[in-house]
């Protein structure tokens, strides 16, 4: 994906990827909003290692490109199809979406930054702590 963005002067900044199940439980107990936080009853796409939260950055400055909202904005403006944003934000979001779709990811409707790997339901919910994952490397 980055090979495709590099000639444009852009790269990817990843906010979140795999998330242990225990973190999903903690998020849900804190927010109780299954629009923006996965229900612990079914686990999340992040718990399956099949979701990524990311944005575009300018490779020369390292700064994030303008998007409709900041990351983790629990607002209507964060929706993947929200139309009342600046032209630059809409153009940047469209580029991010096009690149992710091209590489097998699906757009999550409530969050412009969240993309799911196609077939995520076929993977089990995991609760492997980061320390254990690091030890496996």
């Amino acid at each position: 994906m980055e090979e495709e963005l590099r000639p444009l002067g852009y790269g990817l900044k990843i906010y979140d990827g795999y998330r242990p199940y225990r973190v999903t439980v903690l998020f849900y107990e804190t927010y109780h909003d299954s629009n923006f936080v996965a229900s612990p009853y079914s686990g999340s796409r992040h718990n399956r290692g099949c979701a990524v939260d990311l944005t575009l950055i300018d490779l020369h400055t390292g700064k994030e490109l303008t998007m409709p909202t900041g990351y983790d904005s629990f607002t209507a403006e964060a929706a993947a199809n929200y139309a009342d944003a600046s032209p630059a934000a809409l153009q940047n979001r469209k580029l991010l979406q096009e690149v992710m779709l091209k590489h097998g990811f699906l757009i999550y409707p409530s969050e412009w930054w969240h993309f799911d790997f196609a077939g995520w339901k076929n993977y089990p919910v995991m609760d492997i702590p980061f320390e254990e994952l690091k030890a496996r490397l």
Side-chain angles (χ1 to χ4, degrees):
M1 290 178 271
E2 288 201 297
E3 297 81 19
E4 193 171 331
L5 294 168
R6 192 172 294 116
L8 302 172
Y10 302 143
L12 297 171
K13 176 180 180 179
I14 298 174
Y15 298 118
D16 195 7
Y18 166 71
R19 183 183 306 147
Y21 175 73
R22 68 190 78 201
V23 176
T24 294
V25 172
L26 178 64
F27 282 174
Y28 190 77
E29 288 173 349
T30 302
Y31 293 104
H32 295 289
D33 181 346
S34 58
N35 269 335
F36 295 102
V37 178
S39 167
Y41 304 110
S42 57
S44 82
R45 296 146 169 95
H46 286 284
N47 301 146
R48 292 168 167 84
C50 293
V52 63
D53 296 344
L54 73 171
T55 194
L56 295 172
I57 60 166
D58 180 309
L59 289 176
H60 301 294
T61 66
K63 293 184 179 181
E64 297 177 15
L65 272 59
T66 301
M67 292 293 183
T69 68
Y71 169 63
D72 258 0
S73 171
F74 294 167
T75 64
E77 293 82 4
N81 64 355
Y82 181 75
D84 192 21
S86 73
L90 295 176
Q91 180 180 346
N92 293 337
R93 183 185 68 195
K94 181 180 180 205
L95 175 61
L96 179 62
Q97 290 174 340
E98 287 173 350
V99 168
M100 296 304 288
L101 287 168
K102 183 177 178 181
H103 292 278
F105 288 84
L106 306 172
I107 297 168
Y108 185 71
S110 299
E111 302 169 346
W112 63 261
W113 58 83
H114 179 113
F115 295 87
D116 297 319
F117 187 69
W120 64 267
K121 290 181 182 179
N122 298 323
Y123 295 87
V125 170
M126 298 181 292
D127 194 25
I128 305 168
F130 291 119
E131 298 78 15
E132 185 178 332
L133 288 175
K134 186 176 179 181
R136 293 181 185 188
L137 297 175

